Amino acid sequence: MKIFVTGMCGYIGSHTAVELLNQNYEIVGLDNFSNSKKETIDKIKQITKKDFKFYEGDMLDKNILTKIFKENKIDAVIDFAAYKAVGDSVKNPIEYYTNNVSSVLNLLKIMKENNVKTIVFSSSATVYGNPEEMPIKETTKTGNTTNPYGTSKLMVEKILKDLYESDNSWNICILRYFNPIGAHKSGIIGEDPNGIPANLVPYVTQVAKGKLEYLKVFGNDYNTKDGTGVRDYIHVVDLAIGHIKALQKLENEKKGLYIYNLGTGKGSSVLDIIKTFEKVNNIKIPYKITERRDGDIATCYSDPSKAQKELNFKVQYNLEDMLKDAWNYEKNSQ
Ligand code: WQD
């Protein structure tokens, strides 16, 4: 099967490309390098010893999408290409809705024109807003999102649902990620955000490396075990494998629209992350408690049972593995 991977050089895209190639899928990649690096292409080839076609371009450019579908017999699409910084989305809503929603409309139009109707879509736990129940199930109410990033993901989920309602020959899997962290065991690819990291773990690894002076802990007055924010951290390689499981579901079972949480079901606080990182890597992480960050919620972790049951998806890595691998990547990178 030939899989078109949009945003292939990004954090999740690159790790999924490795797992796809490891499982002998053929892939065609696309990236505009807005939040990734060109050298990731060769890193994926270095890890897998496999070759693949790659196109540099933007999902908002219909011509590049038309060209890709004309030059390659695509069987399915995994769509990662999106901006994903919550804080940034609050400051730049037009860019976020244009990039995250219009690009998917372009993609779906070209897929339909080429009669390619199988897609795995990268969504996010932010579609649950401030969740009304914990742990979060796929049936937990979505909406009341607290930022344009989360709202853009919710909009695309609605587009996909309406598309499926209009034509049941589409085959769609929506994956709602919790908090992906860690890196490929080789240390060759990992989370490498442009600029100062918005997310916790890449910020911690840059403090460990001495690139940043100390970690700001955004509030310790939440209603959680130690007052700091609790999240469901999942190893990025586990997350990548979850995409293979989703593809296999779409390949082997009746056409449909499926939605799965991809998480571990375990909640870890910011202080848990600091303590665990210090323990497994034997490095002190200086931190200061500061004000809460706008848009943050106290607690967010998944009930992963639906993906376990229907995708036969079980995570292999624990928090110690994730933080060891995250540091291993940071140590090896510039
Ligand atoms: C985690 C915890 C912060 C940074 C977002 C998106 C989600 C996904 C992952 C794309 C929170 C605290 C953080 C720091 C801190 N993105 N924190 N100091 O906000 O849970 O999720 O990123 O797929 O969709 O919503 O992740 O890593 O930013 O924050 O104290 O410097 O760490 O308050 O409790 P978040 P995060």
Side-chain angles (χ1 to χ4, degrees), residues 250-262:
L250 295 180
E251 280 171 78
N252 304 326
E253 294 192 28
K254 69 180 179 50
K255 293 189 186 316
L257 183 141
Y258 305 94
I259 300 178
Y260 298 102
N261 288 336
L262 291 189

Side-chain angles (χ1 to χ4, degrees), residues 77-251:
V77 179
I78 303 184
D79 181 26
F80 292 106
Y83 296 151
K84 62 159 202 168
V86 166
D88 197 19
S89 77
V90 173
K91 295 190 200 97
N92 305 293
I94 295 173
E95 288 74 9
Y96 266 70
Y97 289 126
T98 306
N99 189 62
N100 291 7
V101 183
S102 306
S103 61
V104 180
L105 287 170
N106 269 354
L107 173 66
L108 295 172
K109 273 181 206 140
I110 305 282
M111 286 177 70
K112 187 177 173 197
E113 285 165 12
N114 291 275
N115 199 31
V116 177
K117 296 186 173 180
T118 300
I119 180 168
V120 176
F121 175 67
S122 160
S123 190
S124 164
T126 37
V127 300
Y128 295 109
N130 203 343
E132 63 181 13
E133 62 182 345
M134 208 56 67
I136 300 171
K137 298 179 182 60
E138 286 80 357
T139 50
T140 300
K141 190 166 163 295
T142 59
N144 299 326
T145 41
T146 58
N147 56 77
Y149 162 73
T151 308
S152 72
K153 289 296 182 182
L154 195 60
M155 286 175 169
V156 175
E157 289 197 7
K158 182 75 180 101
I159 290 165
L160 292 169
K161 287 172 190 168
D162 289 346
L163 178 62
Y164 180 70
E165 284 311 310
S166 74
D167 173 358
N168 285 172
S169 67
W170 280 86
N171 210 4
I172 299 169
C173 187
I174 293 170
L175 298 178
R176 292 173 178 164
Y177 307 166
F178 281 71
N179 287 58
I181 61 169
H184 189 265
K185 292 250 173 267
S186 63
I188 296 171
I189 54 173
E191 190 166 12
D192 193 5
N194 294 341
I196 303 283
N199 293 127
L200 176 66
V201 171
Y203 202 104
V204 167
T205 57
Q206 291 196 18
V207 169
K209 189 140 185 202
K211 285 184 189 171
L212 296 167
E213 195 190 345
Y214 63 86
L215 173 70
K216 296 183 196 73
V217 175
F218 297 144
N220 67 344
D221 57 350
Y222 287 103
N223 180 18
T224 62
K225 62 176 180 178
D226 59 23
T228 64
V230 169
R231 297 291 184 275
D232 181 338
Y233 296 95
I234 177 171
H235 198 295
V236 65
V237 174
D238 274 329
L239 191 69
I241 290 165
H243 288 74
I244 310 291
K245 299 282 188 185
L247 261 188
Q248 289 165 348
K249 170 96 178 168
L250 295 180
E251 280 171 78

Side-chain angles (χ1 to χ4, degrees), residues 13-27:
S14 55
H15 285 83
T16 304
V18 165
E19 298 309 322
L20 285 165
L21 292 165
N22 288 345
Q23 307 235 359
N24 297 318
Y25 285 93
E26 280 186 86
I27 66 173

Side-chain angles (χ1 to χ4, degrees), residues 276-294:
T276 307
F277 186 92
E278 291 179 333
K279 181 183 138 204
V280 296
N281 297 308
N282 196 22
I283 300 178
K284 196 89 188 96
I285 298 295
Y287 67 89
K288 286 180 186 158
I289 305 291
T290 65
E291 288 305 302
R292 294 183 175 190
R293 177 174 65 178
D294 286 351

